[in-house]
Amino acid sequence: MLNIWVVMPACLPLVRRRCHTCASERFRANGKFRVNANHKLLDAWLLLLCTGCGETAKLTVLERVNVRSIQPALLDRMHANDPVLAAELLQDPGVQRRNRIALDWDGAWRLDTGGSNHLDQEVIDVSVRFAARIPIRPVRLIADGCGLSRAEVERLIVEGKLVSAVRLGGKLSGDFTFTLKR
């Protein structure tokens, strides 16, 4: 029987960027946007707050874009400070690259295993699905989901009792499957 685990965001991740005021390395996105019009051109930013001093910083979302080229629904969502739009834009690789930021997902995700009825089985087949692009070590996911220590998961990999088509040593942000034999 195939078990499906889902890794989903629990809140917005922290933004890794240096603060110019206090030299802190983390900012919190509060889901608020600032939109500025200059005749027919629009600029839009996602506002961030420094976790150290509370200073406001801006992530560029739109820069000198003609008003007619923006979808009205997108503009309405920015004016309404849509938190779902903020989450989408934070995870957008283009926005990350343009603003030279990285995301810190520590404590901002949760694992839904669908219950603990799979833990007493001799062989467990699990398909892990990601609701967002959250880079996580598979060893940590398996340890959390099965109630094992990370060292025990590493031992099971070495013994060949934990197998997967993907390498379980690094970080993953895409779907994968694994089989655990006890």
Side-chain angles (χ1 to χ4, degrees), residues 39-94:
H39 299 289
K40 295 180 182 180
L41 301 177
L42 269 179
D43 294 314
W45 300 277
L46 176 61
L47 300 179
L48 306 173
L49 296 174
C50 176
T51 58
C53 66
E55 184 72 21
T56 302
K58 300 183 287 189
L59 290 184
T60 303
V61 176
L62 299 173
E63 190 170 30
R64 299 289 174 200
V65 177
N66 193 314
V67 175
R68 293 180 187 232
S69 66
I70 301 172
Q71 297 175 355
L74 176 65
L75 199 54
D76 290 342
R77 290 175 72 188
M78 282 189 211
H79 284 301
N81 293 321
D82 185 1
V84 175
L85 178 61
E88 291 171 5
L89 290 172
L90 278 176
Q91 295 176 34
D92 182 9

Side-chain angles (χ1 to χ4, degrees), residues 10-30:
C11 60
L12 290 176
L14 293 178
V15 175
R16 296 177 66 200
R17 176 179 176 177
R18 189 171 175 276
C19 178
H20 298 293
T21 305
C22 70
S24 173
E25 296 281 330
R26 306 278 189 273
F27 282 84
R28 182 174 320 287
N30 60 0

Side-chain angles (χ1 to χ4, degrees), residues 8 45-46 51 69 74 98-99 103 109 111 123 128 130 149-150 154 175 179:
M8 58 186 69
W45 300 277
L46 176 61
T51 58
S69 66
L74 176 65
R98 180 183 311 129
N99 292 286
L103 300 180
W109 60 273
L111 177 63
V123 176
V128 179
F130 285 79
S149 68
R150 290 187 200 160
E154 294 283 352
D175 300 347
T179 301

Side-chain angles (χ1 to χ4, degrees), residues 108-173:
W109 60 273
R110 65 183 178 89
L111 177 63
D112 181 16
T113 61
S116 61
N117 60 351
H118 64 279
L119 296 178
D120 57 348
Q121 298 175 354
E122 199 63 31
V123 176
I124 304 170
D125 288 322
V126 178
S127 175
V128 179
R129 305 281 179 236
F130 285 79
R133 293 182 39 187
I134 304 171
I136 303 172
R137 296 187 186 283
V139 171
R140 179 177 179 193
L141 275 180
I142 296 167
D144 289 350
C146 294
L148 304 170
S149 68
R150 290 187 200 160
E152 193 171 351
V153 171
E154 294 283 352
R155 183 183 53 78
L156 291 170
I157 292 172
V158 171
E159 292 176 358
K161 294 183 178 181
L162 178 60
V163 293
S164 178
V166 299
R167 192 173 68 86
L168 298 174
K171 286 189 175 185
L172 290 175
S173 59

